[in-house]
Amino acid sequence: PHSMKSDLLPVSRDDMDARGWDLCDYIVVTGDAYIDHPSFGTAVISRLLGSLGRRVGVITQPRWDRPDDFMVLGRPRLAFLVTAGALDSMVAHYTAALKPRHEDVYSPGGRPGMRPDRAVITYTGRIRQAFSNVPVIAGGIEASLRRLSHYDYWSDRLRRSVILDAKLDLVIYGMGEQAAAAVDRVLNDESMDFSSCTIPGTVFACSSRAYTPYTGYDDIILPAWEEVSARDPSGNIPKPEGQLQFARSVQIRLLHENPMKPSRLLEAYGDRLVVQNPPAVPLDSKAMDRIYALPFARKAHPMYRPLGDVPALQEVRFSITSSRGCYGSCSFCALRSHQGRIVQSRNRESILAEAKRIIEDPEFKGHIHDVGGPTANFLHPACSRQLIADMGPCENKECLFPRVCRNAGDDHMEFLGLLRDIRKLPGVKRVFVRSGIRYDYLMAAPESVRTRFLLEFCAHHVSGQLKVAPEHTSPKVLDIMGKPPIEIFDAFAQAFALASRRAGKTQYIIPYFMSGHPGARLDDAVDLACYLRKRGFIPDQVQDFYPTPGTAASCMYYTGMDPRPGRDNAPIHIPKGREKRLQRALLHAHKKENRSLVLEALRRTGRMDLAGTLLRSQRP
């Protein structure tokens, strides 16, 4: 098969000539620098297609003001594959305060501005200019989370499905390997009818009159675009009934993210219909093992060396992905809608084999930087029913919220055994876990398990600091976030400190707290600031709520309603504008530049008695 060596894929016509290729089967267009590492979607999909015998080229960060850069590899035989990169391009460009970022870690030298806003739309338009009648298929986080109507924070309004705005032939959503392989089989054997695709993990558009139901899927009708996007006559203010319909739409989507009970979601746009096929069934361990055994070079393209390499590679270069998916279901997180609620993991032998390949790298210094996934201490589905046909994850219940389900398994000793096996490999000095753990899941384990886990974990697998995410202290805000009570974090912090002392280590928890989340009032932010002061926590960076596409919390921000199943679209307070800025300042109340904002917040809440406490300088 083609591309089965660890050589980097061609990025120029000279590279193609060196391989004796007259054309590529697929050309991947990406908003990121080209990094051939399994932590990056472009590399994974490209290597997968290469293993199927396809010739894959990469156009990386092309200029988008003209079509020239999109023509450098010629016309692909089968399709262009478009991705904005590892982040939504708008998130890559702008902070939660809508200010331009000064760094893009996925670009050479961290240089910003190397991809356009709304990259999938822009790239597809330039491809259409360069070539007619070539299929264009989009994937990755931007396309995945904009696959249906969605709130767009940067324009402060709803936008249509990206398949319509970009005029795409198909969207592959989620992690994409199974859908990409299935699409390849059809494209390689015959001309694909994109307007009647049945492949799980895909979205297509067709005429409403031409739509044909598929017997294997239940059709679920979403509120139409005209209903969810209704605005007043001026066009500036969304109508409350439109916001309610959008909240209903998001609630239906949350209820039908189950690959084990396949259903199609249908969203009408006038006489057009956007059709979301059900999510792909999770990869089993053997399939994941095959993905991570592909011959990744584990490096960035050498053309970036004069530009300062690519910062995003440094954190993950000597890291290992052990699992995917997350059943935490935090309101502000898009993981459930992208990777899914069913955790998938690799076999131990596959992970150890990858560790051995890392050890062979001449630049490896003995430290594995991370072993984990979205949540490191999740190795298996939450319970056995999640992999049973017609069952899957519970629609109306979460696995960890409001408390850890009694049916949830316990992966801690298995995870610890995996870490132990890796650190025993010759050439490995330390194995760290930086991807974070769910402390509520750990604290729900039997006391003997969590004590043993923390003792060994703190002795061998913490690099001085452990990052965890309690997010807030207010019970009502935590409820809206889908996070556990702060008392569970406090108990974990005490247990971590005790285990670190017993291990003879001076180690610290770095807690993430969030300001401005839907449901949070100014009083809640003051209470959070007092909590931080009392415990001596000084957040290194303030995590201000960012309404990104595809999350329940973004729907809350737009509608002022709670779309989660069982919440009946209950009204929620939404901090915006000045109030959001005040909440953010309270998390760094000790900073001189925030003094006037903190005093304003305290005056508004009638809590000026706290001024001396919160404004007093505090050393880290």
Side-chain angles (χ1 to χ4, degrees), residues 140-166:
I141 198 78
E142 179 166 299
S144 182
L145 297 179
R146 295 175 180 265
R147 59 189 184 261
L148 296 169
S149 61
H150 55 279
Y151 173 64
D152 183 81
Y153 175 58
W154 304 272
S155 59
D156 193 26
R157 61 177 57 220
L158 295 187
R159 289 185 67 98
R160 305 189 306 168
S161 165
V162 71
I163 198 167
L164 298 180
D165 282 353

PDB file of all heavy atoms in Angstrom, residues 140-166:
ATOM      1  N   GLY A 140     -13.279  17.310  11.066  1.00  0.00           N
ATOM      2  CA  GLY A 140     -12.579  18.050  12.115  1.00  0.00           C
ATOM      3  C   GLY A 140     -13.554  18.811  12.997  1.00  0.00           C
ATOM      4  O   GLY A 140     -14.766  18.835  12.766  1.00  0.00           O
ATOM      5  N   ILE A 141     -13.011  19.467  14.007  1.00  0.00           N
ATOM      6  CA  ILE A 141     -13.841  20.045  15.058  1.00  0.00           C
ATOM      7  C   ILE A 141     -14.762  21.148  14.543  1.00  0.00           C
ATOM      8  O   ILE A 141     -15.922  21.252  14.968  1.00  0.00           O
ATOM      9  CB  ILE A 141     -12.936  20.554  16.210  1.00  0.00           C
ATOM     10  CG1 ILE A 141     -13.746  20.761  17.482  1.00  0.00           C
ATOM     11  CG2 ILE A 141     -12.186  21.805  15.826  1.00  0.00           C
ATOM     12  CD1 ILE A 141     -14.050  19.509  18.224  1.00  0.00           C
ATOM     13  N   GLU A 142     -14.289  21.988  13.627  1.00  0.00           N
ATOM     14  CA  GLU A 142     -15.132  23.096  13.150  1.00  0.00           C
ATOM     15  C   GLU A 142     -16.345  22.574  12.401  1.00  0.00           C
ATOM     16  O   GLU A 142     -17.484  22.974  12.683  1.00  0.00           O
ATOM     17  CB  GLU A 142     -14.324  24.035  12.255  1.00  0.00           C
ATOM     18  CG  GLU A 142     -15.144  25.208  11.709  1.00  0.00           C
ATOM     19  CD  GLU A 142     -14.270  26.299  11.112  1.00  0.00           C
ATOM     20  OE1 GLU A 142     -13.456  26.866  11.862  1.00  0.00           O
ATOM     21  OE2 GLU A 142     -14.406  26.579   9.907  1.00  0.00           O
ATOM     22  N   ALA A 143     -16.140  21.680  11.454  1.00  0.00           N
ATOM     23  CA  ALA A 143     -17.254  21.130  10.683  1.00  0.00           C
ATOM     24  C   ALA A 143     -18.140  20.262  11.564  1.00  0.00           C
ATOM     25  O   ALA A 143     -19.374  20.281  11.445  1.00  0.00           O
ATOM     26  CB  ALA A 143     -16.719  20.324   9.502  1.00  0.00           C
ATOM     27  N   SER A 144     -17.527  19.492  12.450  1.00  0.00           N
ATOM     28  CA  SER A 144     -18.276  18.565  13.287  1.00  0.00           C
ATOM     29  C   SER A 144     -19.278  19.289  14.176  1.00  0.00           C
ATOM     30  O   SER A 144     -20.440  18.888  14.289  1.00  0.00           O
ATOM     31  CB  SER A 144     -17.302  17.748  14.145  1.00  0.00           C
ATOM     32  OG  SER A 144     -17.962  16.803  14.946  1.00  0.00           O
ATOM     33  N   LEU A 145     -18.859  20.369  14.813  1.00  0.00           N
ATOM     34  CA  LEU A 145     -19.715  21.049  15.782  1.00  0.00           C
ATOM     35  C   LEU A 145     -20.589  22.129  15.148  1.00  0.00           C
ATOM     36  O   LEU A 145     -21.420  22.733  15.834  1.00  0.00           O
ATOM     37  CB  LEU A 145     -18.870  21.642  16.903  1.00  0.00           C
ATOM     38  CG  LEU A 145     -18.107  20.583  17.712  1.00  0.00           C
ATOM     39  CD1 LEU A 145     -17.269  21.230  18.800  1.00  0.00           C
ATOM     40  CD2 LEU A 145     -19.057  19.557  18.320  1.00  0.00           C
ATOM     41  N   ARG A 146     -20.422  22.354  13.849  1.00  0.00           N
ATOM     42  CA  ARG A 146     -21.293  23.279  13.124  1.00  0.00           C
ATOM     43  C   ARG A 146     -22.145  22.516  12.106  1.00  0.00           C
ATOM     44  O   ARG A 146     -22.618  23.082  11.133  1.00  0.00           O
ATOM     45  CB  ARG A 146     -20.458  24.353  12.424  1.00  0.00           C
ATOM     46  CG  ARG A 146     -19.690  25.278  13.373  1.00  0.00           C
ATOM     47  CD  ARG A 146     -18.803  26.234  12.609  1.00  0.00           C
ATOM     48  NE  ARG A 146     -18.041  27.133  13.452  1.00  0.00           N
ATOM     49  CZ  ARG A 146     -18.406  28.375  13.788  1.00  0.00           C
ATOM     50  NH1 ARG A 146     -19.554  28.854  13.363  1.00  0.00           N
ATOM     51  NH2 ARG A 146     -17.633  29.120  14.549  1.00  0.00           N
ATOM     52  N   ARG A 147     -22.347  21.229  12.349  1.00  0.00           N
ATOM     53  CA  ARG A 147     -23.001  20.385  11.350  1.00  0.00           C
ATOM     54  C   ARG A 147     -24.497  20.662  11.214  1.00  0.00           C
ATOM     55  O   ARG A 147     -25.097  20.355  10.191  1.00  0.00           O
ATOM     56  CB  ARG A 147     -22.774  18.915  11.677  1.00  0.00           C
ATOM     57  CG  ARG A 147     -23.277  18.445  13.029  1.00  0.00           C
ATOM     58  CD  ARG A 147     -22.784  17.027  13.294  1.00  0.00           C
ATOM     59  NE  ARG A 147     -23.275  16.428  14.521  1.00  0.00           N
ATOM     60  CZ  ARG A 147     -22.604  16.370  15.663  1.00  0.00           C
ATOM     61  NH1 ARG A 147     -21.391  16.927  15.726  1.00  0.00           N
ATOM     62  NH2 ARG A 147     -23.110  15.761  16.717  1.00  0.00           N
ATOM     63  N   LEU A 148     -25.119  21.228  12.252  1.00  0.00           N
ATOM     64  CA  LEU A 148     -26.510  21.654  12.191  1.00  0.00           C
ATOM     65  C   LEU A 148     -26.561  23.133  12.571  1.00  0.00           C
ATOM     66  O   LEU A 148     -25.531  23.752  12.820  1.00  0.00           O
ATOM     67  CB  LEU A 148     -27.359  20.805  13.143  1.00  0.00           C
ATOM     68  CG  LEU A 148     -27.451  19.307  12.802  1.00  0.00           C
ATOM     69  CD1 LEU A 148     -28.093  18.535  13.949  1.00  0.00           C
ATOM     70  CD2 LEU A 148     -28.230  19.081  11.509  1.00  0.00           C
ATOM     71  N   SER A 149     -27.746  23.710  12.609  1.00  0.00           N
ATOM     72  CA  SER A 149     -27.846  25.120  13.009  1.00  0.00           C
ATOM     73  C   SER A 149     -27.188  25.300  14.371  1.00  0.00           C
ATOM     74  O   SER A 149     -27.281  24.428  15.243  1.00  0.00           O
ATOM     75  CB  SER A 149     -29.311  25.554  13.067  1.00  0.00           C
ATOM     76  OG  SER A 149     -30.026  24.788  14.019  1.00  0.00           O
ATOM     77  N   HIS A 150     -26.518  26.421  14.582  1.00  0.00           N
ATOM     78  CA  HIS A 150     -25.723  26.604  15.785  1.00  0.00           C
ATOM     79  C   HIS A 150     -25.588  28.086  16.107  1.00  0.00           C
ATOM     80  O   HIS A 150     -25.661  28.949  15.228  1.00  0.00           O
ATOM     81  CB  HIS A 150     -24.322  26.003  15.597  1.00  0.00           C
ATOM     82  CG  HIS A 150     -23.600  26.532  14.401  1.00  0.00           C
ATOM     83  ND1 HIS A 150     -23.827  26.067  13.126  1.00  0.00           N
ATOM     84  CD2 HIS A 150     -22.659  27.509  14.270  1.00  0.00           C
ATOM     85  CE1 HIS A 150     -23.067  26.714  12.266  1.00  0.00           C
ATOM     86  NE2 HIS A 150     -22.356  27.606  12.928  1.00  0.00           N
ATOM     87  N   TYR A 151     -25.397  28.354  17.404  1.00  0.00           N
ATOM     88  CA  TYR A 151     -25.146  29.730  17.824  1.00  0.00           C
ATOM     89  C   TYR A 151     -23.700  30.086  17.546  1.00  0.00           C
ATOM     90  O   TYR A 151     -22.777  29.351  17.896  1.00  0.00           O
ATOM     91  CB  TYR A 151     -25.444  29.908  19.315  1.00  0.00           C
ATOM     92  CG  TYR A 151     -25.032  31.271  19.818  1.00  0.00           C
ATOM     93  CD1 TYR A 151     -25.647  32.420  19.334  1.00  0.00           C
ATOM     94  CD2 TYR A 151     -24.005  31.410  20.755  1.00  0.00           C
ATOM     95  CE1 TYR A 151     -25.261  33.686  19.777  1.00  0.00           C
ATOM     96  CE2 TYR A 151     -23.621  32.670  21.209  1.00  0.00           C
ATOM     97  CZ  TYR A 151     -24.252  33.802  20.711  1.00  0.00           C
ATOM     98  OH  TYR A 151     -23.858  35.040  21.135  1.00  0.00           O
ATOM     99  N   ASP A 152     -23.516  31.244  16.907  1.00  0.00           N
ATOM    100  CA  ASP A 152     -22.186  31.732  16.560  1.00  0.00           C
ATOM    101  C   ASP A 152     -21.909  32.974  17.396  1.00  0.00           C
ATOM    102  O   ASP A 152     -22.465  34.057  17.157  1.00  0.00           O
ATOM    103  CB  ASP A 152     -22.134  32.060  15.062  1.00  0.00           C
ATOM    104  CG  ASP A 152     -20.757  32.499  14.611  1.00  0.00           C
ATOM    105  OD1 ASP A 152     -19.904  31.634  14.384  1.00  0.00           O
ATOM    106  OD2 ASP A 152     -20.538  33.727  14.493  1.00  0.00           O
ATOM    107  N   TYR A 153     -21.057  32.812  18.393  1.00  0.00           N
ATOM    108  CA  TYR A 153     -20.767  33.873  19.368  1.00  0.00           C
ATOM    109  C   TYR A 153     -20.175  35.105  18.703  1.00  0.00           C
ATOM    110  O   TYR A 153     -20.426  36.240  19.130  1.00  0.00           O
ATOM    111  CB  TYR A 153     -19.809  33.301  20.405  1.00  0.00           C
ATOM    112  CG  TYR A 153     -19.293  34.252  21.443  1.00  0.00           C
ATOM    113  CD1 TYR A 153     -20.157  34.948  22.286  1.00  0.00           C
ATOM    114  CD2 TYR A 153     -17.920  34.420  21.626  1.00  0.00           C
ATOM    115  CE1 TYR A 153     -19.672  35.790  23.274  1.00  0.00           C
ATOM    116  CE2 TYR A 153     -17.421  35.259  22.618  1.00  0.00           C
ATOM    117  CZ  TYR A 153     -18.308  35.943  23.426  1.00  0.00           C
ATOM    118  OH  TYR A 153     -17.815  36.773  24.403  1.00  0.00           O
ATOM    119  N   TRP A 154     -19.408  34.917  17.640  1.00  0.00           N
ATOM    120  CA  TRP A 154     -18.647  36.007  17.035  1.00  0.00           C
ATOM    121  C   TRP A 154     -19.542  36.940  16.222  1.00  0.00           C
ATOM    122  O   TRP A 154     -19.232  38.108  16.058  1.00  0.00           O
ATOM    123  CB  TRP A 154     -17.528  35.421  16.195  1.00  0.00           C
ATOM    124  CG  TRP A 154     -16.673  34.518  17.034  1.00  0.00           C
ATOM    125  CD1 TRP A 154     -15.586  34.878  17.791  1.00  0.00           C
ATOM    126  CD2 TRP A 154     -16.885  33.126  17.282  1.00  0.00           C
ATOM    127  NE1 TRP A 154     -15.115  33.789  18.474  1.00  0.00           N
ATOM    128  CE2 TRP A 154     -15.879  32.702  18.184  1.00  0.00           C
ATOM    129  CE3 TRP A 154     -17.815  32.186  16.836  1.00  0.00           C
ATOM    130  CZ2 TRP A 154     -15.778  31.388  18.638  1.00  0.00           C
ATOM    131  CZ3 TRP A 154     -17.721  30.885  17.282  1.00  0.00           C
ATOM    132  CH2 TRP A 154     -16.706  30.490  18.173  1.00  0.00           C
ATOM    133  N   SER A 155     -20.648  36.442  15.703  1.00  0.00           N
ATOM    134  CA  SER A 155     -21.625  37.296  15.030  1.00  0.00           C
ATOM    135  C   SER A 155     -22.872  37.513  15.896  1.00  0.00           C
ATOM    136  O   SER A 155     -23.755  38.275  15.527  1.00  0.00           O
ATOM    137  CB  SER A 155     -22.053  36.679  13.689  1.00  0.00           C
ATOM    138  OG  SER A 155     -22.625  35.382  13.888  1.00  0.00           O
ATOM    139  N   ASP A 156     -22.925  36.811  17.045  1.00  0.00           N
ATOM    140  CA  ASP A 156     -24.035  36.885  17.997  1.00  0.00           C
ATOM    141  C   ASP A 156     -25.371  36.580  17.339  1.00  0.00           C
ATOM    142  O   ASP A 156     -26.368  37.286  17.539  1.00  0.00           O
ATOM    143  CB  ASP A 156     -24.074  38.250  18.693  1.00  0.00           C
ATOM    144  CG  ASP A 156     -25.003  38.253  19.910  1.00  0.00           C
ATOM    145  OD1 ASP A 156     -25.209  37.170  20.496  1.00  0.00           O
ATOM    146  OD2 ASP A 156     -25.543  39.322  20.254  1.00  0.00           O
ATOM    147  N   ARG A 157     -25.376  35.526  16.562  1.00  0.00           N
ATOM    148  CA  ARG A 157     -26.633  35.072  15.969  1.00  0.00           C
ATOM    149  C   ARG A 157     -26.506  33.605  15.569  1.00  0.00           C
ATOM    150  O   ARG A 157     -25.406  33.047  15.577  1.00  0.00           O
ATOM    151  CB  ARG A 157     -27.049  35.920  14.772  1.00  0.00           C
ATOM    152  CG  ARG A 157     -26.082  35.937  13.607  1.00  0.00           C
ATOM    153  CD  ARG A 157     -26.642  36.763  12.442  1.00  0.00           C
ATOM    154  NE  ARG A 157     -26.944  38.128  12.847  1.00  0.00           N
ATOM    155  CZ  ARG A 157     -28.028  38.797  12.434  1.00  0.00           C
ATOM    156  NH1 ARG A 157     -28.896  38.240  11.620  1.00  0.00           N
ATOM    157  NH2 ARG A 157     -28.238  40.041  12.834  1.00  0.00           N
ATOM    158  N   LEU A 158     -27.604  32.993  15.219  1.00  0.00           N
ATOM    159  CA  LEU A 158     -27.559  31.624  14.735  1.00  0.00           C
ATOM    160  C   LEU A 158     -27.010  31.588  13.317  1.00  0.00           C
ATOM    161  O   LEU A 158     -27.217  32.515  12.529  1.00  0.00           O
ATOM    162  CB  LEU A 158     -28.952  30.986  14.742  1.00  0.00           C
ATOM    163  CG  LEU A 158     -29.639  30.784  16.088  1.00  0.00           C
ATOM    164  CD1 LEU A 158     -30.919  29.980  15.900  1.00  0.00           C
ATOM    165  CD2 LEU A 158     -28.724  30.084  17.082  1.00  0.00           C
ATOM    166  N   ARG A 159     -26.300  30.523  13.021  1.00  0.00           N
ATOM    167  CA  ARG A 159     -25.849  30.282  11.649  1.00  0.00           C
ATOM    168  C   ARG A 159     -26.403  28.942  11.188  1.00  0.00           C
ATOM    169  O   ARG A 159     -26.703  28.045  11.993  1.00  0.00           O
ATOM    170  CB  ARG A 159     -24.327  30.268  11.553  1.00  0.00           C
ATOM    171  CG  ARG A 159     -23.689  31.641  11.725  1.00  0.00           C
ATOM    172  CD  ARG A 159     -22.192  31.583  11.488  1.00  0.00           C
ATOM    173  NE  ARG A 159     -21.875  31.284  10.104  1.00  0.00           N
ATOM    174  CZ  ARG A 159     -21.550  32.209   9.189  1.00  0.00           C
ATOM    175  NH1 ARG A 159     -21.533  33.483   9.519  1.00  0.00           N
ATOM    176  NH2 ARG A 159     -21.236  31.862   7.972  1.00  0.00           N
ATOM    177  N   ARG A 160     -26.500  28.812   9.877  1.00  0.00           N
ATOM    178  CA  ARG A 160     -26.998  27.570   9.283  1.00  0.00           C
ATOM    179  C   ARG A 160     -25.944  26.470   9.389  1.00  0.00           C
ATOM    180  O   ARG A 160     -24.777  26.716   9.711  1.00  0.00           O
ATOM    181  CB  ARG A 160     -27.337  27.791   7.810  1.00  0.00           C
ATOM    182  CG  ARG A 160     -28.307  28.926   7.557  1.00  0.00           C
ATOM    183  CD  ARG A 160     -28.767  28.939   6.118  1.00  0.00           C
ATOM    184  NE  ARG A 160     -27.642  28.952   5.167  1.00  0.00           N
ATOM    185  CZ  ARG A 160     -27.752  28.738   3.858  1.00  0.00           C
ATOM    186  NH1 ARG A 160     -28.944  28.465   3.339  1.00  0.00           N
ATOM    187  NH2 ARG A 160     -26.709  28.791   3.067  1.00  0.00           N
ATOM    188  N   SER A 161     -26.347  25.266   9.065  1.00  0.00           N
ATOM    189  CA  SER A 161     -25.397  24.167   8.980  1.00  0.00           C
ATOM    190  C   SER A 161     -24.268  24.537   8.035  1.00  0.00           C
ATOM    191  O   SER A 161     -24.480  25.125   6.973  1.00  0.00           O
ATOM    192  CB  SER A 161     -26.098  22.907   8.459  1.00  0.00           C
ATOM    193  OG  SER A 161     -25.147  21.942   8.040  1.00  0.00           O
ATOM    194  N   VAL A 162     -23.049  24.163   8.409  1.00  0.00           N
ATOM    195  CA  VAL A 162     -21.882  24.480   7.594  1.00  0.00           C
ATOM    196  C   VAL A 162     -21.952  23.798   6.238  1.00  0.00           C
ATOM    197  O   VAL A 162     -21.348  24.274   5.271  1.00  0.00           O
ATOM    198  CB  VAL A 162     -20.589  24.095   8.348  1.00  0.00           C
ATOM    199  CG1 VAL A 162     -20.426  22.581   8.422  1.00  0.00           C
ATOM    200  CG2 VAL A 162     -19.362  24.740   7.722  1.00  0.00           C
ATOM    201  N   ILE A 163     -22.687  22.715   6.109  1.00  0.00           N
ATOM    202  CA  ILE A 163     -22.753  22.029   4.806  1.00  0.00           C
ATOM    203  C   ILE A 163     -23.438  22.915   3.768  1.00  0.00           C
ATOM    204  O   ILE A 163     -23.100  22.861   2.575  1.00  0.00           O
ATOM    205  CB  ILE A 163     -23.464  20.660   4.936  1.00  0.00           C
ATOM    206  CG1 ILE A 163     -23.132  19.789   3.718  1.00  0.00           C
ATOM    207  CG2 ILE A 163     -24.970  20.803   5.107  1.00  0.00           C
ATOM    208  CD1 ILE A 163     -23.515  18.333   3.871  1.00  0.00           C
ATOM    209  N   LEU A 164     -24.358  23.783   4.234  1.00  0.00           N
ATOM    210  CA  LEU A 164     -25.018  24.703   3.321  1.00  0.00           C
ATOM    211  C   LEU A 164     -24.174  25.948   3.094  1.00  0.00           C
ATOM    212  O   LEU A 164     -23.993  26.388   1.949  1.00  0.00           O
ATOM    213  CB  LEU A 164     -26.388  25.098   3.872  1.00  0.00           C
ATOM    214  CG  LEU A 164     -27.406  23.974   4.046  1.00  0.00           C
ATOM    215  CD1 LEU A 164     -28.709  24.532   4.613  1.00  0.00           C
ATOM    216  CD2 LEU A 164     -27.674  23.254   2.728  1.00  0.00           C
ATOM    217  N   ASP A 165     -23.651  26.527   4.161  1.00  0.00           N
ATOM    218  CA  ASP A 165     -22.876  27.762   4.017  1.00  0.00           C
ATOM    219  C   ASP A 165     -21.591  27.549   3.232  1.00  0.00           C
ATOM    220  O   ASP A 165     -21.115  28.462   2.543  1.00  0.00           O
ATOM    221  CB  ASP A 165     -22.558  28.343   5.396  1.00  0.00           C
ATOM    222  CG  ASP A 165     -23.744  29.070   6.002  1.00  0.00           C
ATOM    223  OD1 ASP A 165     -24.765  29.235   5.292  1.00  0.00           O
ATOM    224  OD2 ASP A 165     -23.669  29.470   7.173  1.00  0.00           O
ATOM    225  N   ALA A 166     -20.999  26.358   3.337  1.00  0.00           N
ATOM    226  CA  ALA A 166     -19.758  26.080   2.605  1.00  0.00           C
ATOM    227  C   ALA A 166     -20.002  25.386   1.277  1.00  0.00           C
ATOM    228  O   ALA A 166     -19.062  25.189   0.510  1.00  0.00           O
ATOM    229  CB  ALA A 166     -18.841  25.217   3.468  1.00  0.00           C
TER     230      ALA A 166
END
